[in-house]
Amino acid sequence: LAKTTQPISMDSYEGQEVNITCSHNNIATNDYITWYQQFPSQGPRFIIQGYKTKVTNEVASLFIPADRKSSTLSLPRVSLSDTAVYYCLVGGEYGNKLVFGAGTILRVKS
Amino acid sequence: SAVISQKPSRDICQRGTSLTIQCQVDSQVTMMFWYRQQPGQSLTLIATANQGSEATYESGFVIDKFPISRPNLTFSTLTVSNLSPEDSSIYLCSVEGGGRAYNEQFFGPGTRLTVL
């Protein structure tokens, strides 16, 4: 399973755009890149998934360069409620398993 | 998307006892998963539970310590046996299915276990 590396933590202010980059140098051809969000005292929830180029939904955008060795989760105009842990996961080749890395703690300040 | 509930939401147990955690899903799903999240840490997969077959355990987790039942397509239990303080964690169940994305999983709220 491809290992992921993310920053341990990031700080931001309300209204700013936040970009969290994840490195996954050993990503396999069949692997998708998925991001989950976890609030305190809750289970993780799916944010976005992509395979290549750019994906956008109502919550975030995901940028994936051509070599797919990294990806960037972009959160536009964050609010205090976006304070959470964000996990980057890479998988697909090994079926249904989700392997969570350490995640990035995002703190949004007013 | 699936809605998942867990019981109990939290418990405090004495060492040497066991705790059984229930996971209920509002729809039928094939694959259910159990995770452990130790304080301040990420999630670690304990086992995969498919209805009609034995659970598949990840490295470092054994059936004697974490027996799992999966009697039907909407329910599963995880028992944490012979508790020690090191078992103090949040235990989460999840299911796959009904999501928009490949391999998308939906998680329950977790069960916070404290072992004294």
Side-chain angles (χ1 to χ4, degrees), chain A residues 3-25:
Chain A
K3 180 180 178 180
T4 60
T5 302
Q6 306 172 230
I8 294 174
S9 65
M10 297 181 68
D11 291 332
S12 181
Y13 289 92
E14 287 187 288
Q16 289 187 331
E17 178 183 79
V18 171
N19 296 309
I20 306 175
T21 297
C22 178
S23 173
H24 30 78
N25 291 319

Side-chain angles (χ1 to χ4, degrees), chain A residues 12-18 75-80 82 108-109:
Chain A
S12 181
Y13 289 92
E14 287 187 288
Q16 289 187 331
E17 178 183 79
V18 171
L75 305 172
R77 298 180 299 281
V78 294
S79 64
L80 294 175
D82 292 315
V108 180
K109 305 174 183 178

